[in-house]
């Protein structure tokens, strides 16, 4: 009995070979695992060492003494009404007390100036403001008349009280900023207070 191989050789047919199964399969490459990017770490702030040596002077900053002098001069500039009032008080009372009639007349002029300023500035409204100013005119006018009839020494004391009362009147108006300018009320307040003190001491 002839084998299949010899039969195939005689017939001229090339024998078919059965493909053999691969003995082993190459395992697919394992994909590379992607790692999540890590958050950047916050760098610690460098600690500035404490400066123990002498501080460096900024050439652009004004000297301390100059800044202090400038501030003092600026403060004096804001208080120019007070400086003028002090100069006037010294000039008025440096040679003694003026006559009672002159000082009484000044006490009467003071509230008249308030009425004039209030009318020019349009600040005598509402009507109660005008009433208050007229009441001040009557009150200080009465003190001036009382001083004229009281005699010289007693008249100075009466005028000292009236001038001091008008200094308080000035201060109230300076705080409110009404009727008269602040510069005027400041100037008048210092003049009245200094005059009242001079009359009380020199009488």
């Amino acid at each position: 009995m002839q084998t299949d191989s010899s039969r195939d050789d005689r017939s001229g047919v090339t024998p078919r070979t059965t493909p053999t199964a691969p003995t082993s399969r190459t395992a697919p490459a394992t994909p590379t695992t992607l790692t999540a990017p890590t958050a950047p770490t916050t760098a610690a702030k460098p600690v500035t060492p404490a400066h123990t040596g002498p501080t460096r002077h900024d050439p652009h900053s004004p000297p301390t003494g100059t800044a202090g002098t400038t501030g003092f001069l600026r403060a004096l500039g804001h208080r120019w009404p007070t400086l003028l009032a002090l100069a006037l008080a010294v000039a008025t009372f440096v040679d003694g007390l003026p006559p009672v009639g002159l000082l009484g007349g000044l006490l009467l002029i003071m509230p008249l100036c308030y009425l004039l300023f209030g009318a020019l500035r349009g600040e005598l409204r509402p009507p109660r403001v005008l009433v208050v100013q007229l009441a001040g005119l009557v009150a200080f006018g009465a003190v001036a008349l009382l001083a004229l009839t009281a005699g010289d020494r007693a008249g100075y004391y009466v005028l000292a009280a009236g001038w001091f009362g008008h200094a308080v009147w000035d201060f109230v108006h300076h705080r409110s900023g009404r009727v008269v300018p602040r510069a005027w009320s400041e100037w008048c307040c210092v003049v009245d207070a200094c005059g009242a003190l001079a009359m009380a001491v020199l009488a």
Side-chain angles (χ1 to χ4, degrees), residues 80-150:
W80 65 267
T82 296
L83 297 178
L84 290 180
L86 290 174
L88 178 61
V90 171
T92 303
F93 297 99
V94 66
D95 293 333
L97 294 175
V100 173
L102 176 61
L103 297 176
L106 292 176
L107 183 59
L108 182 61
I109 291 175
M110 295 173 190
L112 287 174
C113 291
Y114 269 74
L115 286 169
L116 179 61
F117 271 118
L120 293 177
R121 289 160 56 95
E123 295 195 4
L124 294 180
R125 295 183 299 270
R128 61 182 179 84
V129 177
L130 178 60
V131 171
V132 171
Q133 297 303 317
L134 290 175
L137 175 63
V138 172
F140 292 116
V143 173
L145 292 176
L146 179 61
L148 291 176
T149 59

Side-chain angles (χ1 to χ4, degrees), residues 16-32:
R16 291 180 299 177
T17 59
T18 305
T20 59
T23 58
S24 62
R25 291 185 178 180
T26 304
T30 305
T32 305

Side-chain angles (χ1 to χ4, degrees):
M1 184 175 181
Q2 293 182 351
T3 62
D4 292 337
S5 60
S6 60
R7 192 178 299 160
D8 293 337
D9 290 339
R10 288 194 299 267
S11 60
V13 178
T14 303
R16 291 180 299 177
T17 59
T18 305
T20 59
T23 58
S24 62
R25 291 185 178 180
T26 304
T30 305
T32 305
T33 303
L34 299 178
T35 57
T38 58
T41 56
T42 304
K45 288 186 177 181
V47 180
T48 305
H51 183 72
T52 56
T55 57
R56 297 179 59 185
H57 177 68
D58 186 2
H60 299 288
S61 62
T64 305
T66 304
T69 304
T70 303
F72 178 72
L73 293 177
R74 187 180 295 111
L76 286 180
H78 288 306
R79 297 273 74 88
W80 65 267
T82 296
L83 297 178
L84 290 180
L86 290 174
L88 178 61
V90 171
T92 303
F93 297 99
V94 66
D95 293 333
L97 294 175
V100 173
L102 176 61
L103 297 176
L106 292 176
L107 183 59
L108 182 61
I109 291 175
M110 295 173 190
L112 287 174
C113 291
Y114 269 74
L115 286 169
L116 179 61
F117 271 118
L120 293 177
R121 289 160 56 95
E123 295 195 4
L124 294 180
R125 295 183 299 270
R128 61 182 179 84
V129 177
L130 178 60
V131 171
V132 171
Q133 297 303 317
L134 290 175
L137 175 63
V138 172
F140 292 116
V143 173
L145 292 176
L146 179 61
L148 291 176
T149 59
D152 289 341
R153 187 177 179 84
Y156 283 121
Y157 287 125
V158 173
L159 286 176
W163 279 50
F164 181 77
H166 200 271
V168 175
W169 180 270
D170 296 324
F171 179 77
V172 172
H173 283 78
H174 183 268
R175 297 292 293 178
S176 66
R178 298 291 305 275
V179 182
V180 296
R182 283 181 173 271
W184 174 269
S185 57
E186 179 182 346
W187 174 84
C188 194
C189 179
V190 176
V191 170
D192 293 344
C194 292
L197 179 63
M199 285 183 275
V201 172
L202 298 177

